[in-house]
Amino acid sequence: MKPQAFAYERAESVDQAVAALVEHGDEAKVLAGGQSLLPMMNFRLARPEVLIDIGGISDLRGWSLSQDTVTIRSLTRHCDIQNSDVPGPLGALLRYAAGLVGHLPIRIRGTFGGSLAHSDPSSEWCMMATLLDARMHVMGPSGARVIDARDFFLTVFTPAIEFDEVLTHIELPALGSNYRVNLKEFARRAGDFAIVAVMSAIEVRDNVITDARLCAGGVSDRALRLVQAEAALIGQAPTPETFAQAASLASQEVDPNGDLHGSKEFRQDLVKALTKRSLAGSLT
Amino acid sequence: MSSPRESITLNVNGSNYDIDVEPRRSLADALREDCHLTGTRLGCEHGVCGACTVLMNDEPVRACLVLAVQAQGQAVRTVEGLSVGSEPLHPVQQAFWEHHALQCGFCTAGFLMLATSIVESDNVPTDQELTDVLASNLCRCTGYQNIKKAVCSAIEATRK
């Protein structure tokens, strides 16, 4: 349970990190909080020759709010998000989801951007980025670029970040007060990744659903928007019948692989139950 | 393959340790092998069991998921720092003793450090919050109830 030997470099700025990545090519990996990368290295599932530690770059910590956008910088820790005072429904969803990331000691080291760059399809942040069409900002040798969440998660553990790019910050829409947000997870043990999770954000005006966003984790090689269920919600009244119909559609539109944690049918059933429960409640 | 060693200074329990480590050396291994502080135990070595929990800047972390080179410049606290020499036991240690919160003892150092972070924090946790935090670490002997009792008792003892 020891990682393969590697060289270690500390980057004091994003530019330095990018320069180091350019120098070492795809044999280098970026080290943020290390709560996903170091276990993978201990198992030797990841064997980078060089680690570029960006943990000391203080510019990459914290969040800010401007008009209708909340920007979270990549090294913001899960525990900082859990204790943050981001306003409105987005803040409620961020705080609740952060509390479901691993255990306290993991949340103290692990980072928002690190989790997204790790791209586990069951991760709370990958679900949230997908749910809310987050905009991922990366910096590379030819400058900054933005990757939309729908183009960011290519497959399991594979984000659309080039080997010489660093994820710097993520923009999320500050949801208005008409949004109801929720997250329901099913896991065997506290702190585990969910076997299936469903996150929802619906906007209700005059008792009519005007925007509907649903995202499921644990059913595909990336967090998946439940587009048919979303479409069925728009224009309807937020009633238990509406939610039940959307939940049925949600379970039919996913095609999960079964594994030892749960069969395909069990996961589809979880999507149905969790979608219904997620829509029926609200964190605000 | 080995890689060049780095000369680092670890601050552990208020003392500085000048050590030479490979970058791949975990903080847990550095504490045990290089600082000769063997109170910290290693269980799973991938962040699941919590046996190696130590405090870094007074926050609990998995010492198997922190590289020694990352801990440079941080204040590390281990079980050895809770009570030194002939000092009376730390209130958390005393409470673990009184409430029979250990059997084989392998997880104990990790639980003591996790419990110390809870006892030292400004918040008094609710019963559910305490359950959630203690779920961070695995104990295969006591079944957690006595550990919960011990932590509650230590919280009370230190707030009097």
Side-chain angles (χ1 to χ4, degrees):
Chain A
M1 295 300 292
K2 312 292 180 195
Q4 177 179 290
F6 54 83
Y8 173 82
E9 291 183 20
R10 232 177 248 106
E12 307 293 339
S13 66
V14 173
D15 288 346
Q16 256 187 33
V18 170
L21 288 169
V22 169
E23 182 192 337
H24 296 294
D26 58 6
E27 289 170 350
K29 272 282 220 183
V30 173
L31 175 66
Q35 302 303 286
S36 301
L37 180 57
L38 292 180
M40 290 187 81
M41 289 172 59
N42 285 357
F43 277 120
R44 302 207 175 193
L45 295 170
R47 301 175 183 206
E49 305 266 320
V50 184
L51 275 193
I52 315 294
D53 184 0
I54 61 169
I57 305 177
S58 53
D59 293 352
L60 292 181
R61 293 186 185 276
W63 64 275
S64 55
L65 169 69
S66 67
Q67 293 176 343
D68 54 359
T69 301
V70 171
T71 301
I72 302 179
R73 290 184 281 284
S74 56
L75 290 184
T76 308
R77 304 180 302 170
H78 308 305
C79 65
D80 297 327
I81 294 174
Q82 196 177 1
N83 297 322
S84 73
D85 54 357
V86 176
L90 177 62
L93 188 58
L94 281 166
R95 284 186 289 277
Y96 182 73
L100 294 179
V101 178
H103 293 289
L104 177 67
I106 303 295
R107 298 196 288 273
I108 281 170
R109 294 288 299 167
T111 68
F112 188 71
S115 174
L116 290 165
H118 182 60
S119 297
D120 187 302
S122 309
S123 114
E124 285 80 6
W125 301 140
C126 296
M127 290 178 65
M128 190 181 289
T130 305
L131 180 82
L132 300 177
D133 295 318
R135 288 160 52 81
M136 327 295 231
H137 291 251
V138 299
M139 179 63 81
S142 49
R145 70 180 178 117
V146 182
I147 309 171
D148 290 329
R150 74 169 71 86
D151 304 318
F152 185 83
F153 303 105
L154 301 180
T155 183
V156 182
F157 303 149
T158 313
I161 306 173
E162 296 297 332
F163 72 87
D164 52 4
E165 291 178 325
V166 176
L167 180 62
T168 54
H169 57 285
I170 297 92
E171 289 181 323
L172 293 166
L175 300 172
S177 57
N178 290 326
Y179 274 89
R180 302 177 186 181
V181 293
N182 215 345
L183 166 61
K184 292 291 174 189
E185 296 195 349
F186 181 84
R188 298 281 184 200
R189 290 169 297 261
D192 279 9
F193 277 111
I195 293 174
V196 172
V198 173
M199 197 180 274
S200 62
I202 58 170
E203 187 187 38
V204 180
R205 292 175 184 273
D206 301 325
N207 206 38
V208 173
I209 298 171
T210 49
D211 184 25
R213 294 161 177 270
L214 284 166
C215 184
V219 296
S220 181
D221 62 347
R222 69 201 94 171
L224 213 61
R225 286 286 286 275
L226 304 170
V227 291
Q228 290 175 34
E230 289 175 353
L233 289 166
I234 301 282
Q236 304 295 313
T239 62
E241 294 73 31
T242 306
F243 297 154
Q245 195 200 355
S248 291
L249 284 170
S251 70
Q252 289 159 25
E253 69 181 285
V254 296
D255 186 21
N257 286 326
D259 61 19
L260 80 168
H261 299 295
S263 65
K264 170 181 171 161
E265 291 75 20
F266 179 57
R267 284 169 195 264
Q268 285 177 316
D269 203 45
L270 281 173
V271 168
K272 187 175 182 176
L274 296 174
T275 299
K276 198 156 50 176
R277 285 179 214 165
S278 187
L279 288 169
S282 179
L283 295 167
T284 49
Chain B
M1 175 190 165
S2 66
S3 47
R5 288 170 175 258
E6 294 229 351
S7 294
I8 61 169
T9 301
L10 284 187
N11 184 283
V12 188
N13 304 323
S15 301
N16 284 335
Y17 294 80
D18 297 320
I19 58 175
D20 294 326
V21 294
E22 275 189 88
R24 63 170 158 172
R25 188 70 124 182
S26 72
L27 173 59
D29 280 336
L31 289 168
R32 291 178 57 85
E33 308 289 335
D34 302 302
C35 304
H36 307 295
L37 297 168
T38 53
T40 302
R41 303 284 192 269
L42 275 157
C44 71
E45 296 189 67
H46 65 284
V48 170
C49 78
C52 65
T53 304
V54 300
L55 302 187
M56 206 156 84
N57 304 326
D58 297 327
E59 294 178 311
V61 300
R62 308 281 208 230
C64 70
L65 297 189
V66 178
L67 299 172
V69 289
Q70 289 178 292
Q72 180 158 230
Q74 321 293 324
V76 178
R77 291 165 63 195
T78 66
V79 69
E80 286 91 347
L82 290 183
S83 71
V84 179
S86 57
E87 282 177 15
L89 290 179
H90 185 279
V92 174
Q93 291 172 311
Q94 183 71 30
F96 268 60
W97 182 15
E98 288 172 3
H99 291 271
H100 190 63
L102 63 148
Q103 284 185 32
C104 86
F106 195 86
C107 69
T108 306
F111 264 108
L112 286 170
M113 301 319 289
L114 183 67
T116 298
S117 76
I118 301 167
V119 168
E120 289 179 355
S121 87
D122 296 330
N123 301 336
V124 177
T126 64
D127 189 69
Q128 184 59 48
E129 285 168 349
L130 189 56
T131 301
D132 287 347
V133 177
L134 292 178
S136 307
N137 288 20
L138 293 180
C139 168
R140 299 287 84 152
C141 303
T142 69
Y144 293 90
Q145 289 307 318
N146 288 353
I147 295 173
K148 268 185 80 176
K149 282 182 203 161
V151 178
C152 288
S153 154
I155 290 171
E156 270 182 39
T158 51
R159 268 157 215 276
K160 271 180 187 162

